[in-house]
Amino acid sequence: MYAVWAAGVLVVLLGLALGSAPYLFAEMSAWLEPHAIIDPAKPDLGEGRMVDDYWAVQNIDANTFALGEPRYYQANYAYLIVGERRALLFDAGSGTRDITGVVTSLTHLPVTVMPSHLHYDHTGGIAPFRSIAMIDLAETRADITNGRFTPGRYEYLGMIDGLVPPTFNVTEWIEPGTTVDLGGRTLRVLHVTGHTRSSVALYDGATHQLFAGDFIYPTTLYAFLPGASLSEYLATTRELLATLPVDTKIWTAHCCRLHERTSAPWLTMTDLRDLNAALTAIQSGESRSTGFFPRRFPVNQQMTLATGFPWSNR
Ligand SMILES: [Zn+2]
Protein backbone atom coordinates (compact mmCIF):
# COMPACT_ATOMS: atom_id res chain seq x y z
CA MET A 1 0.00 0.00 0.00
CA TYR A 2 2.84 2.34 0.97
CA ALA A 3 4.63 1.63 -2.34
CA VAL A 4 1.53 2.59 -4.34
CA TRP A 5 1.16 5.80 -2.33
CA ALA A 6 4.87 6.68 -2.78
CA ALA A 7 4.70 5.95 -6.52
CA GLY A 8 1.63 8.20 -6.77
CA VAL A 9 3.41 11.05 -4.98
CA LEU A 10 6.45 10.57 -7.23
CA VAL A 11 4.30 10.75 -10.39
CA VAL A 12 2.61 13.93 -9.16
CA LEU A 13 5.98 15.54 -8.30
CA LEU A 14 7.48 14.53 -11.64
CA GLY A 15 4.45 15.95 -13.44
CA LEU A 16 4.77 19.23 -11.55
CA ALA A 17 8.51 19.41 -12.29
CA LEU A 18 8.02 18.77 -16.02
CA GLY A 19 5.09 21.19 -16.18
CA SER A 20 6.99 24.01 -14.51
CA ALA A 21 10.42 23.18 -15.98
CA PRO A 22 11.27 26.76 -17.12
CA TYR A 23 10.61 28.10 -13.59
CA LEU A 24 12.39 25.21 -11.88
CA PHE A 25 15.39 25.65 -14.18
CA ALA A 26 15.59 29.39 -13.39
CA GLU A 27 15.35 28.77 -9.64
CA MET A 28 17.98 26.00 -9.70
CA SER A 29 20.29 27.54 -12.33
CA ALA A 30 22.85 28.89 -9.84
CA TRP A 31 23.26 25.34 -8.56
CA LEU A 32 22.93 23.54 -11.94
CA GLU A 33 25.35 25.80 -13.84
CA PRO A 34 27.78 27.48 -11.41
CA HIS A 35 29.83 30.17 -13.14
CA ALA A 36 32.18 33.10 -12.51
CA ILE A 37 30.59 36.51 -13.24
CA ILE A 38 33.75 38.25 -14.50
CA ASP A 39 36.59 36.73 -16.49
CA PRO A 40 39.88 38.05 -15.02
CA ALA A 41 41.64 37.77 -18.42
CA LYS A 42 42.12 40.75 -20.72
CA PRO A 43 39.58 40.60 -23.60
CA ASP A 44 40.77 39.79 -27.12
CA LEU A 45 39.08 42.58 -29.09
CA GLY A 46 38.84 42.21 -32.86
CA GLU A 47 37.30 45.68 -33.23
CA GLY A 48 36.76 48.69 -30.97
CA ARG A 49 38.74 49.71 -27.91
CA MET A 50 38.75 49.13 -24.19
CA VAL A 51 38.00 52.42 -22.38
CA ASP A 52 38.95 50.98 -18.99
CA ASP A 53 39.53 47.42 -17.85
CA TYR A 54 35.83 46.51 -18.35
CA TRP A 55 34.01 48.39 -21.13
CA ALA A 56 34.63 47.84 -24.84
CA VAL A 57 33.47 50.68 -27.10
CA GLN A 58 33.03 50.30 -30.84
CA ASN A 59 31.75 52.86 -33.36
CA ILE A 60 29.49 50.92 -35.67
CA ASP A 61 28.87 54.17 -37.59
CA ALA A 62 29.40 57.90 -36.94
CA ASN A 63 26.40 58.14 -34.56
CA THR A 64 26.08 54.64 -33.15
CA PHE A 65 28.22 53.01 -30.49
CA ALA A 66 28.28 49.44 -29.26
CA LEU A 67 29.11 49.21 -25.53
CA GLY A 68 30.36 45.75 -24.74
CA GLU A 69 31.02 43.86 -21.52
CA PRO A 70 33.43 41.27 -22.96
CA ARG A 71 34.62 40.09 -19.52
CA TYR A 72 31.06 39.55 -18.24
CA TYR A 73 30.18 35.86 -18.57
CA GLN A 74 27.29 36.58 -20.95
CA ALA A 75 29.33 39.05 -23.08
CA ASN A 76 26.48 41.58 -23.36
CA TYR A 77 26.43 44.48 -25.81
CA ALA A 78 24.28 47.59 -25.35
CA TYR A 79 23.88 50.20 -28.13
CA LEU A 80 24.06 53.98 -27.82
CA ILE A 81 22.04 55.39 -30.73
CA VAL A 82 22.65 59.12 -31.10
CA GLY A 83 20.40 61.67 -32.86
CA GLU A 84 20.70 65.46 -33.09
CA ARG A 85 18.64 66.23 -29.97
CA ARG A 86 18.80 63.12 -27.82
CA ALA A 87 20.34 59.68 -27.60
CA LEU A 88 18.78 56.32 -26.85
CA LEU A 89 20.69 53.65 -24.96
CA PHE A 90 19.27 50.28 -25.95
CA ASP A 91 19.84 48.15 -22.81
CA ALA A 92 21.39 49.35 -19.59
CA GLY A 93 24.15 46.76 -19.24
CA SER A 94 24.25 43.98 -16.69
CA GLY A 95 24.98 46.31 -13.79
CA THR A 96 28.18 44.43 -13.00
CA ARG A 97 29.85 47.81 -13.64
CA ASP A 98 28.19 51.23 -13.87
CA ILE A 99 27.56 52.09 -17.54
CA THR A 100 26.82 55.82 -17.06
CA GLY A 101 30.45 56.98 -17.17
CA VAL A 102 31.14 55.44 -20.54
CA VAL A 103 27.81 56.75 -21.90
CA THR A 104 28.48 60.37 -20.89
CA SER A 105 32.00 60.14 -22.32
CA LEU A 106 30.42 59.44 -25.74
CA THR A 107 27.58 62.00 -25.91
CA HIS A 108 26.63 65.22 -24.14
CA LEU A 109 22.99 64.88 -25.33
CA PRO A 110 20.22 63.78 -22.95
CA VAL A 111 20.13 59.98 -22.85
CA THR A 112 17.04 57.82 -22.50
CA VAL A 113 17.57 54.14 -21.74
CA MET A 114 15.17 51.54 -23.15
CA PRO A 115 15.57 47.85 -22.29
CA SER A 116 15.30 45.26 -25.07
CA HIS A 117 13.64 43.08 -22.44
CA LEU A 118 13.53 42.74 -18.67
CA HIS A 119 16.16 40.04 -18.02
CA TYR A 120 18.79 40.98 -15.43
CA ASP A 121 21.69 41.05 -17.91
CA HIS A 122 19.92 43.87 -19.85
CA THR A 123 18.33 45.88 -17.02
CA GLY A 124 20.76 45.26 -14.13
CA GLY A 125 22.40 48.65 -14.81
CA ILE A 126 19.18 50.69 -15.18
CA ALA A 127 18.84 52.18 -11.66
CA PRO A 128 21.07 55.29 -12.14
CA PHE A 129 19.11 56.53 -15.20
CA ARG A 130 16.50 59.29 -14.83
CA SER A 131 14.99 58.95 -18.31
CA ILE A 132 13.67 55.44 -18.93
CA ALA A 133 11.44 54.31 -21.81
CA MET A 134 9.39 51.12 -21.73
CA ILE A 135 7.30 49.30 -24.32
CA ASP A 136 3.62 49.93 -23.56
CA LEU A 137 2.01 46.52 -23.05
CA ALA A 138 -0.47 45.09 -20.55
CA GLU A 139 2.33 42.99 -19.00
CA THR A 140 4.75 45.91 -18.57
CA ARG A 141 1.99 48.17 -17.17
CA ALA A 142 1.23 45.37 -14.69
CA ASP A 143 4.73 45.83 -13.19
CA ILE A 144 3.83 49.28 -11.84
CA THR A 145 3.19 49.57 -8.09
CA ASN A 146 2.66 53.02 -6.53
CA GLY A 147 3.90 54.62 -9.74
CA ARG A 148 7.21 52.71 -9.78
CA PHE A 149 8.24 49.88 -12.09
CA THR A 150 9.67 46.61 -10.77
CA PRO A 151 10.14 43.69 -13.18
CA GLY A 152 8.56 40.44 -11.96
CA ARG A 153 10.72 37.65 -10.52
CA TYR A 154 10.39 35.54 -13.69
CA GLU A 155 10.74 38.55 -16.00
CA TYR A 156 14.02 39.62 -14.37
CA LEU A 157 15.45 36.16 -13.51
CA GLY A 158 18.07 37.72 -11.23
CA MET A 159 17.92 34.68 -8.93
CA ILE A 160 20.33 33.05 -11.41
CA ASP A 161 23.08 35.33 -10.04
CA GLY A 162 21.53 36.21 -6.68
CA LEU A 163 20.30 39.63 -7.87
CA VAL A 164 17.18 41.49 -6.70
CA PRO A 165 15.03 43.26 -9.35
CA PRO A 166 15.54 47.06 -9.51
CA THR A 167 12.71 49.56 -8.96
CA PHE A 168 12.61 52.69 -11.13
CA ASN A 169 10.40 55.37 -12.72
CA VAL A 170 9.29 54.85 -16.31
CA THR A 171 9.29 58.31 -17.89
CA GLU A 172 8.11 57.32 -21.39
CA TRP A 173 5.69 54.58 -22.50
CA ILE A 174 6.14 53.62 -26.15
CA GLU A 175 3.46 51.76 -28.06
CA PRO A 176 4.64 48.91 -30.30
CA GLY A 177 4.92 49.96 -33.95
CA THR A 178 5.41 53.65 -33.19
CA THR A 179 8.60 55.63 -33.70
CA VAL A 180 10.98 57.43 -31.38
CA ASP A 181 12.33 60.71 -32.75
CA LEU A 182 15.92 61.41 -31.67
CA GLY A 183 16.18 64.52 -33.90
CA GLY A 184 17.24 63.74 -37.47
CA ARG A 185 17.00 60.04 -36.68
CA THR A 186 13.94 57.94 -35.98
CA LEU A 187 13.70 54.42 -34.61
CA ARG A 188 10.69 52.16 -35.00
CA VAL A 189 9.89 50.19 -31.86
CA LEU A 190 9.01 46.59 -32.74
CA HIS A 191 7.39 44.14 -30.33
CA VAL A 192 9.34 40.91 -30.94
CA THR A 193 7.94 38.16 -28.73
CA GLY A 194 9.64 34.76 -28.58
CA HIS A 195 12.59 35.14 -26.17
CA THR A 196 10.24 36.93 -23.74
CA ARG A 197 6.69 38.32 -23.96
CA SER A 198 7.78 41.95 -23.76
CA SER A 199 10.89 41.84 -25.98
CA VAL A 200 11.66 44.87 -28.14
CA ALA A 201 13.75 45.48 -31.26
CA LEU A 202 14.53 48.89 -32.76
CA TYR A 203 14.66 49.50 -36.49
CA ASP A 204 16.42 52.45 -38.09
CA GLY A 205 14.87 52.73 -41.57
CA ALA A 206 17.43 55.26 -42.81
CA THR A 207 20.45 53.02 -42.17
CA HIS A 208 18.73 49.60 -42.38
CA GLN A 209 19.96 48.68 -38.91
CA LEU A 210 17.96 46.40 -36.65
CA PHE A 211 18.90 46.37 -32.97
CA ALA A 212 17.51 42.97 -32.04
CA GLY A 213 18.14 42.53 -28.30
CA ASP A 214 17.99 38.80 -27.50
CA PHE A 215 15.56 37.89 -30.27
CA ILE A 216 18.47 36.70 -32.38
CA TYR A 217 22.23 36.62 -31.74
CA PRO A 218 25.20 34.35 -32.47
CA THR A 219 25.70 31.32 -30.15
CA THR A 220 22.75 29.70 -28.32
CA LEU A 221 19.29 31.31 -28.46
CA TYR A 222 17.34 30.90 -25.22
CA ALA A 223 13.74 29.86 -25.80
CA PHE A 224 13.28 27.75 -22.65
CA LEU A 225 13.05 30.25 -19.79
CA PRO A 226 9.73 31.54 -18.37
CA GLY A 227 7.81 33.56 -20.98
CA ALA A 228 9.67 32.08 -23.99
CA SER A 229 7.44 30.73 -26.76
CA LEU A 230 8.37 28.84 -29.93
CA SER A 231 5.15 29.69 -31.74
CA GLU A 232 5.62 33.39 -30.97
CA TYR A 233 9.28 33.12 -32.02
CA LEU A 234 8.16 31.72 -35.36
CA ALA A 235 5.43 34.36 -35.84
CA THR A 236 7.94 37.15 -35.14
CA THR A 237 10.55 35.81 -37.59
CA ARG A 238 7.81 35.68 -40.28
CA GLU A 239 6.77 39.24 -39.52
CA LEU A 240 10.35 40.57 -39.61
CA LEU A 241 11.15 38.72 -42.85
CA ALA A 242 8.01 40.15 -44.45
CA THR A 243 8.65 43.76 -43.39
CA LEU A 244 12.42 44.43 -43.25
CA PRO A 245 14.66 45.03 -46.29
CA VAL A 246 16.92 42.09 -47.24
CA ASP A 247 20.07 44.16 -46.66
CA THR A 248 19.18 44.94 -43.02
CA LYS A 249 22.14 44.51 -40.69
CA ILE A 250 21.17 43.00 -37.36
CA TRP A 251 23.07 44.18 -34.26
CA THR A 252 22.60 41.77 -31.39
CA ALA A 253 23.05 41.83 -27.61
CA HIS A 254 25.37 38.86 -26.99
CA CYS A 255 28.81 38.11 -28.42
CA CYS A 256 30.42 36.37 -30.30
CA ARG A 257 30.39 35.21 -33.89
CA LEU A 258 31.94 31.80 -34.56
CA HIS A 259 35.75 31.80 -35.00
CA GLU A 260 35.90 35.61 -34.64
CA ARG A 261 37.56 37.76 -32.00
CA THR A 262 35.37 39.79 -29.65
CA SER A 263 33.43 42.64 -31.30
CA ALA A 264 29.88 43.99 -31.54
CA PRO A 265 27.91 40.91 -32.63
CA TRP A 266 25.97 41.13 -35.88
CA LEU A 267 23.89 38.89 -38.11
CA THR A 268 22.11 39.26 -41.43
CA MET A 269 18.64 38.64 -42.81
CA THR A 270 19.96 35.29 -44.08
CA ASP A 271 20.50 34.28 -40.44
CA LEU A 272 16.93 35.39 -39.68
CA ARG A 273 15.70 33.26 -42.59
CA ASP A 274 17.68 30.29 -41.22
CA LEU A 275 16.09 30.82 -37.81
CA ASN A 276 12.65 30.89 -39.42
CA ALA A 277 13.41 27.61 -41.24
CA ALA A 278 14.75 26.00 -38.04
CA LEU A 279 11.66 27.02 -36.04
CA THR A 280 9.40 25.70 -38.79
CA ALA A 281 11.26 22.36 -38.75
CA ILE A 282 11.07 22.14 -34.94
CA GLN A 283 7.32 22.84 -34.94
CA SER A 284 6.66 20.21 -37.62
CA GLY A 285 8.77 17.59 -35.80
CA GLU A 286 11.35 17.35 -38.61
CA SER A 287 14.29 18.69 -36.58
CA ARG A 288 16.32 16.48 -34.22
CA SER A 289 17.34 17.80 -30.80
CA THR A 290 20.05 16.88 -28.33
CA GLY A 291 19.74 17.10 -24.54
CA PHE A 292 16.73 16.75 -22.20
CA PHE A 293 16.13 20.26 -20.79
CA PRO A 294 16.75 22.45 -22.60
CA ARG A 295 16.56 20.61 -25.91
CA ARG A 296 19.05 22.02 -28.42
CA PHE A 297 18.18 22.30 -32.10
CA PRO A 298 20.52 23.30 -34.94
CA VAL A 299 19.91 26.63 -36.75
CA ASN A 300 23.05 27.35 -38.76
CA GLN A 301 26.82 27.73 -38.20
CA GLN A 302 26.33 30.79 -35.99
CA MET A 303 23.34 29.64 -33.95
CA THR A 304 21.72 26.86 -31.96
CA LEU A 305 18.24 27.18 -30.46
CA ALA A 306 17.60 25.85 -26.96
CA THR A 307 13.99 25.30 -25.99
CA GLY A 308 11.96 23.45 -23.36
CA PHE A 309 9.24 20.85 -23.69
CA PRO A 310 6.42 21.31 -26.22
CA TRP A 311 4.01 22.01 -23.35
CA SER A 312 6.27 24.45 -21.47
CA ASN A 313 7.41 26.78 -24.25
CA ARG A 314 4.71 26.27 -26.87
ZN1 LIG B 1 20.51 38.47 -22.61
Side-chain angles (χ1 to χ4, degrees):
M1 195 61 200
Y2 174 77
V4 173
W5 180 81
V9 168
L10 204 65
V11 166
V12 168
L13 285 178
L14 196 66
L16 281 173
L18 290 175
S20 58
Y23 299 87
L24 208 59
F25 185 93
E27 293 291 353
M28 294 173 68
S29 171
W31 174 76
L32 289 170
E33 296 182 331
H35 52 258
I37 305 293
I38 297 186
D39 182 351
K42 195 166 176 273
D44 177 29
L45 289 195
E47 285 181 70
R49 61 196 186 275
M50 296 301 293
V51 297
D52 54 22
D53 65 335
Y54 187 78
W55 291 103
V57 171
Q58 183 182 334
N59 293 57
I60 65 172
D61 64 32
N63 297 306
T64 314
F65 303 90
L67 311 185
E69 299 174 71
R71 292 175 55 205
Y72 178 59
Y73 77 104
Q74 299 200 63
N76 280 62
Y77 272 79
Y79 292 87
L80 182 63
I81 305 162
V82 183
E84 286 161 8
R85 281 189 292 104
R86 62 190 284 215
L88 191 144
L89 178 65
F90 192 46
D91 281 338
S94 68
T96 310
R97 285 279 182 91
D98 182 23
I99 198 172
T100 56
V102 62
V103 169
T104 50
S105 76
L106 295 168
T107 181
H108 56 268
L109 294 174
V111 175
T112 298
V113 64
M114 182 170 196
S116 65
H117 59 296
L118 299 172
H119 285 166
Y120 65 102
D121 53 319
H122 301 259
T123 55
I126 208 164
F129 289 91
R130 290 293 154 262
S131 178
I132 299 175
M134 185 66 64
I135 188 164
D136 196 351
L137 302 169
E139 46 259 81
T140 47
R141 290 276 184 174
D143 288 335
I144 294 282
T145 307
N146 298 326
R148 309 254 295 158
F149 188 99
T150 308
R153 180 174 181 83
Y154 297 105
E155 290 175 324
Y156 189 64
L157 298 178
M159 74 290 273
I160 291 171
D161 285 336
L163 302 169
V164 176
T167 293
F168 49 88
N169 289 322
V170 172
T171 50
E172 205 174 331
W173 290 94
I174 303 178
E175 283 182 31
T178 60
T179 55
V180 179
D181 185 0
L182 303 178
R185 187 174 192 182
T186 55
L187 300 169
R188 186 167 297 279
V189 175
L190 308 175
H191 183 202
V192 291
T193 55
H195 179 66
T196 74
R197 290 196 189 99
S198 53
S199 289
V200 174
L202 301 177
Y203 179 63
D204 184 335
T207 58
H208 292 195
Q209 292 168 322
L210 180 74
F211 300 93
D214 277 3
F215 183 76
I216 188 170
Y217 53 87
T219 70
T220 302
L221 299 175
Y222 276 32
F224 61 91
L225 292 170
S229 158
L230 273 196
S231 56
E232 288 177 21
Y233 232 120
L234 181 57
T236 305
T237 58
R238 282 197 187 125
E239 173 79 15
L240 294 176
L241 285 169
T243 51
L244 298 179
V246 290
D247 64 349
T248 300
K249 187 153 182 180
I250 304 173
W251 293 99
T252 76
H254 290 282
C255 196
C256 295
R257 292 171 59 80
L258 191 68
H259 305 317
E260 291 184 22
R261 294 164 72 200
T262 301
S263 69
W266 57 271
L267 292 168
T268 65
M269 291 297 278
T270 304
D271 295 304
L272 187 64
R273 195 162 299 113
D274 290 345
L275 176 57
N276 177 261
L279 287 162
T280 306
I282 295 167
Q283 294 291 63
S284 66
E286 286 160 42
S287 185
R288 284 270 174 89
S289 65
T290 56
F292 178 65
F293 189 93
R295 300 177 298 152
R296 290 168 189 273
F297 291 92
V299 178
N300 67 13
Q301 262 214 312
Q302 294 289 351
M303 288 178 284
T304 299
L305 185 130
T307 191
F309 304 118
W311 59 85
S312 66
N313 297 103
R314 196 192 345 253

